[in-house]
Amino acid sequence: SRMRIARVAHRALRLARGRAIRRERDSPVARARSRAMASTGDVSTVTETFFLDDFAVRQWDDERYSGTRIAHDKADFVRKIQEAHESGKSPLVDGYAPFCKHVFVENFVGAKVGNVEITKSNEHLLKSGYSARSEAELAVLTRWFQASDVEAPEATHLDVILYSREQLELERAAVPSKSERPPLPNAPWGIISVKAQSEDYETPMQPITMMRNALGREQGGSGVPLEKDKYDASVAYWANHAPIVASEDGAAGD
């Protein structure tokens, strides 16, 4: 009868829906999100491969951040990085240490470059002072351009800088103030910084950042020793460039 056929069709539809739900629940992305919910209560900024680390969140939320500011939904940002990586267009590129990688993508957020070249016409606008990127770090002498003093063009690319989850765990363990934070998601790579730039390759980190890293985890660094060749390349680049800073004291930079 028609009623019997309808009941059979309805039952088949429910079974199909149940199988689809189970497949979605058991997928790698769903498992990563489930682990993130158990540890942090927030699944929106976690994908199968990447999660947004607290250190990078400053670029969205801290108006005083010196460097690339991002006005884009955090969850959508991480999803687009995952999609670019899965497409093969944005593979993991080795960084300055085994635990550091880069993903280079086109600038889809409209971010402006985070530094500009020092010229005769703008060098008088340079400012300097002592600043730290976080409470865990020692303040160091830096120089910068005030954002209101220079024109920053829109970048062509984003350098998405990653640290392995294991390295982030080690750095947390070395700094007592970080021990109270929720556990990290189980995705393998944390997004720790995003640099808007006009190059699709890594530009040198600032010399003082290399020094900070070499100080060790207890002072907010990564514990990676200085390499003279890389340090010299950094000096050559940053002798002619300076970051653009929103805050008056130059705080919270790269």
PDB file of all heavy atoms in Angstrom, residues 140-156:
ATOM      1  N   VAL A 140      63.054  45.413  25.061  1.00  0.00           N
ATOM      2  CA  VAL A 140      64.266  45.639  24.283  1.00  0.00           C
ATOM      3  C   VAL A 140      64.120  46.941  23.502  1.00  0.00           C
ATOM      4  O   VAL A 140      63.019  47.439  23.278  1.00  0.00           O
ATOM      5  CB  VAL A 140      64.539  44.469  23.308  1.00  0.00           C
ATOM      6  CG1 VAL A 140      64.840  43.195  24.075  1.00  0.00           C
ATOM      7  CG2 VAL A 140      63.371  44.280  22.366  1.00  0.00           C
ATOM      8  N   LEU A 141      65.256  47.487  23.083  1.00  0.00           N
ATOM      9  CA  LEU A 141      65.256  48.737  22.329  1.00  0.00           C
ATOM     10  C   LEU A 141      64.857  48.463  20.877  1.00  0.00           C
ATOM     11  O   LEU A 141      65.433  47.602  20.217  1.00  0.00           O
ATOM     12  CB  LEU A 141      66.644  49.376  22.373  1.00  0.00           C
ATOM     13  CG  LEU A 141      66.788  50.746  21.682  1.00  0.00           C
ATOM     14  CD1 LEU A 141      65.910  51.791  22.361  1.00  0.00           C
ATOM     15  CD2 LEU A 141      68.249  51.180  21.685  1.00  0.00           C
ATOM     16  N   THR A 142      63.867  49.197  20.396  1.00  0.00           N
ATOM     17  CA  THR A 142      63.390  49.035  19.028  1.00  0.00           C
ATOM     18  C   THR A 142      63.176  50.407  18.393  1.00  0.00           C
ATOM     19  O   THR A 142      63.193  51.435  19.082  1.00  0.00           O
ATOM     20  CB  THR A 142      62.065  48.259  18.982  1.00  0.00           C
ATOM     21  OG1 THR A 142      61.085  48.958  19.774  1.00  0.00           O
ATOM     22  CG2 THR A 142      62.226  46.850  19.529  1.00  0.00           C
ATOM     23  N   ARG A 143      62.960  50.390  17.084  1.00  0.00           N
ATOM     24  CA  ARG A 143      62.608  51.626  16.388  1.00  0.00           C
ATOM     25  C   ARG A 143      61.441  51.323  15.455  1.00  0.00           C
ATOM     26  O   ARG A 143      61.256  50.176  15.016  1.00  0.00           O
ATOM     27  CB  ARG A 143      63.797  52.186  15.605  1.00  0.00           C
ATOM     28  CG  ARG A 143      64.284  51.320  14.452  1.00  0.00           C
ATOM     29  CD  ARG A 143      65.400  52.015  13.705  1.00  0.00           C
ATOM     30  NE  ARG A 143      65.865  51.212  12.564  1.00  0.00           N
ATOM     31  CZ  ARG A 143      66.758  51.637  11.682  1.00  0.00           C
ATOM     32  NH1 ARG A 143      67.290  52.825  11.805  1.00  0.00           N
ATOM     33  NH2 ARG A 143      67.124  50.865  10.672  1.00  0.00           N
ATOM     34  N   TRP A 144      60.665  52.370  15.142  1.00  0.00           N
ATOM     35  CA  TRP A 144      59.461  52.142  14.367  1.00  0.00           C
ATOM     36  C   TRP A 144      58.958  53.450  13.752  1.00  0.00           C
ATOM     37  O   TRP A 144      59.394  54.536  14.128  1.00  0.00           O
ATOM     38  CB  TRP A 144      58.371  51.540  15.250  1.00  0.00           C
ATOM     39  CG  TRP A 144      57.870  52.481  16.326  1.00  0.00           C
ATOM     40  CD1 TRP A 144      56.813  53.352  16.236  1.00  0.00           C
ATOM     41  CD2 TRP A 144      58.410  52.651  17.644  1.00  0.00           C
ATOM     42  NE1 TRP A 144      56.656  54.045  17.407  1.00  0.00           N
ATOM     43  CE2 TRP A 144      57.622  53.639  18.302  1.00  0.00           C
ATOM     44  CE3 TRP A 144      59.476  52.064  18.337  1.00  0.00           C
ATOM     45  CZ2 TRP A 144      57.883  54.063  19.598  1.00  0.00           C
ATOM     46  CZ3 TRP A 144      59.734  52.482  19.636  1.00  0.00           C
ATOM     47  CH2 TRP A 144      58.936  53.455  20.256  1.00  0.00           C
ATOM     48  N   PHE A 145      58.025  53.301  12.817  1.00  0.00           N
ATOM     49  CA  PHE A 145      57.272  54.417  12.292  1.00  0.00           C
ATOM     50  C   PHE A 145      55.885  54.414  12.937  1.00  0.00           C
ATOM     51  O   PHE A 145      55.272  53.353  13.086  1.00  0.00           O
ATOM     52  CB  PHE A 145      57.083  54.312  10.771  1.00  0.00           C
ATOM     53  CG  PHE A 145      58.304  54.629   9.964  1.00  0.00           C
ATOM     54  CD1 PHE A 145      58.928  53.646   9.212  1.00  0.00           C
ATOM     55  CD2 PHE A 145      58.813  55.919   9.938  1.00  0.00           C
ATOM     56  CE1 PHE A 145      60.037  53.940   8.447  1.00  0.00           C
ATOM     57  CE2 PHE A 145      59.941  56.226   9.177  1.00  0.00           C
ATOM     58  CZ  PHE A 145      60.559  55.233   8.432  1.00  0.00           C
ATOM     59  N   GLN A 146      55.406  55.571  13.327  1.00  0.00           N
ATOM     60  CA  GLN A 146      54.037  55.698  13.805  1.00  0.00           C
ATOM     61  C   GLN A 146      53.092  55.525  12.617  1.00  0.00           C
ATOM     62  O   GLN A 146      53.320  56.064  11.533  1.00  0.00           O
ATOM     63  CB  GLN A 146      53.828  57.072  14.441  1.00  0.00           C
ATOM     64  CG  GLN A 146      52.578  57.193  15.278  1.00  0.00           C
ATOM     65  CD  GLN A 146      52.729  56.471  16.612  1.00  0.00           C
ATOM     66  OE1 GLN A 146      53.820  56.414  17.179  1.00  0.00           O
ATOM     67  NE2 GLN A 146      51.636  55.915  17.094  1.00  0.00           N
ATOM     68  N   ALA A 147      52.028  54.740  12.809  1.00  0.00           N
ATOM     69  CA  ALA A 147      51.110  54.446  11.715  1.00  0.00           C
ATOM     70  C   ALA A 147      50.504  55.704  11.108  1.00  0.00           C
ATOM     71  O   ALA A 147      50.236  55.760   9.897  1.00  0.00           O
ATOM     72  CB  ALA A 147      50.008  53.513  12.197  1.00  0.00           C
ATOM     73  N   SER A 148      50.321  56.718  11.938  1.00  0.00           N
ATOM     74  CA  SER A 148      49.709  57.955  11.452  1.00  0.00           C
ATOM     75  C   SER A 148      50.683  58.817  10.642  1.00  0.00           C
ATOM     76  O   SER A 148      50.265  59.790  10.004  1.00  0.00           O
ATOM     77  CB  SER A 148      49.181  58.772  12.636  1.00  0.00           C
ATOM     78  OG  SER A 148      50.224  59.049  13.563  1.00  0.00           O
ATOM     79  N   ASP A 149      51.970  58.436  10.641  1.00  0.00           N
ATOM     80  CA  ASP A 149      52.984  59.274   9.988  1.00  0.00           C
ATOM     81  C   ASP A 149      53.373  58.796   8.592  1.00  0.00           C
ATOM     82  O   ASP A 149      53.981  59.551   7.828  1.00  0.00           O
ATOM     83  CB  ASP A 149      54.250  59.347  10.847  1.00  0.00           C
ATOM     84  CG  ASP A 149      54.039  60.113  12.142  1.00  0.00           C
ATOM     85  OD1 ASP A 149      53.093  60.921  12.189  1.00  0.00           O
ATOM     86  OD2 ASP A 149      54.813  59.888  13.090  1.00  0.00           O
ATOM     87  N   VAL A 150      53.094  57.528   8.279  1.00  0.00           N
ATOM     88  CA  VAL A 150      53.533  56.988   6.992  1.00  0.00           C
ATOM     89  C   VAL A 150      52.371  56.292   6.290  1.00  0.00           C
ATOM     90  O   VAL A 150      51.404  55.856   6.920  1.00  0.00           O
ATOM     91  CB  VAL A 150      54.699  55.983   7.171  1.00  0.00           C
ATOM     92  CG1 VAL A 150      55.934  56.680   7.694  1.00  0.00           C
ATOM     93  CG2 VAL A 150      54.296  54.836   8.078  1.00  0.00           C
ATOM     94  N   GLU A 151      52.484  56.174   4.982  1.00  0.00           N
ATOM     95  CA  GLU A 151      51.474  55.500   4.172  1.00  0.00           C
ATOM     96  C   GLU A 151      51.912  54.063   3.931  1.00  0.00           C
ATOM     97  O   GLU A 151      52.998  53.800   3.419  1.00  0.00           O
ATOM     98  CB  GLU A 151      51.315  56.218   2.832  1.00  0.00           C
ATOM     99  CG  GLU A 151      50.228  55.654   1.942  1.00  0.00           C
ATOM    100  CD  GLU A 151      48.826  55.913   2.453  1.00  0.00           C
ATOM    101  OE1 GLU A 151      48.659  56.892   3.215  1.00  0.00           O
ATOM    102  OE2 GLU A 151      47.914  55.150   2.108  1.00  0.00           O
ATOM    103  N   ALA A 152      51.043  53.124   4.304  1.00  0.00           N
ATOM    104  CA  ALA A 152      51.365  51.710   4.122  1.00  0.00           C
ATOM    105  C   ALA A 152      50.532  51.144   2.974  1.00  0.00           C
ATOM    106  O   ALA A 152      49.298  51.160   3.031  1.00  0.00           O
ATOM    107  CB  ALA A 152      51.074  50.930   5.405  1.00  0.00           C
ATOM    108  N   PRO A 153      51.171  50.641   1.930  1.00  0.00           N
ATOM    109  CA  PRO A 153      50.405  50.050   0.827  1.00  0.00           C
ATOM    110  C   PRO A 153      49.809  48.701   1.213  1.00  0.00           C
ATOM    111  O   PRO A 153      50.249  48.056   2.164  1.00  0.00           O
ATOM    112  CB  PRO A 153      51.459  49.887  -0.273  1.00  0.00           C
ATOM    113  CG  PRO A 153      52.751  49.746   0.467  1.00  0.00           C
ATOM    114  CD  PRO A 153      52.621  50.602   1.699  1.00  0.00           C
ATOM    115  N   GLU A 154      48.798  48.278   0.471  1.00  0.00           N
ATOM    116  CA  GLU A 154      48.205  46.961   0.715  1.00  0.00           C
ATOM    117  C   GLU A 154      49.173  45.877   0.265  1.00  0.00           C
ATOM    118  O   GLU A 154      49.816  45.978  -0.789  1.00  0.00           O
ATOM    119  CB  GLU A 154      46.878  46.827  -0.034  1.00  0.00           C
ATOM    120  CG  GLU A 154      46.138  45.539   0.285  1.00  0.00           C
ATOM    121  CD  GLU A 154      44.715  45.517  -0.237  1.00  0.00           C
ATOM    122  OE1 GLU A 154      43.998  46.525  -0.033  1.00  0.00           O
ATOM    123  OE2 GLU A 154      44.325  44.509  -0.867  1.00  0.00           O
ATOM    124  N   ALA A 155      49.291  44.839   1.068  1.00  0.00           N
ATOM    125  CA  ALA A 155      50.213  43.741   0.770  1.00  0.00           C
ATOM    126  C   ALA A 155      49.651  42.844  -0.329  1.00  0.00           C
ATOM    127  O   ALA A 155      48.441  42.796  -0.562  1.00  0.00           O
ATOM    128  CB  ALA A 155      50.468  42.928   2.029  1.00  0.00           C
ATOM    129  N   THR A 156      50.536  42.123  -0.983  1.00  0.00           N
ATOM    130  CA  THR A 156      50.109  41.143  -1.979  1.00  0.00           C
ATOM    131  C   THR A 156      49.991  39.745  -1.390  1.00  0.00           C
ATOM    132  O   THR A 156      49.224  38.923  -1.890  1.00  0.00           O
ATOM    133  CB  THR A 156      51.101  41.094  -3.157  1.00  0.00           C
ATOM    134  OG1 THR A 156      52.404  40.736  -2.664  1.00  0.00           O
ATOM    135  CG2 THR A 156      51.179  42.446  -3.853  1.00  0.00           C
TER     136      THR A 156
END
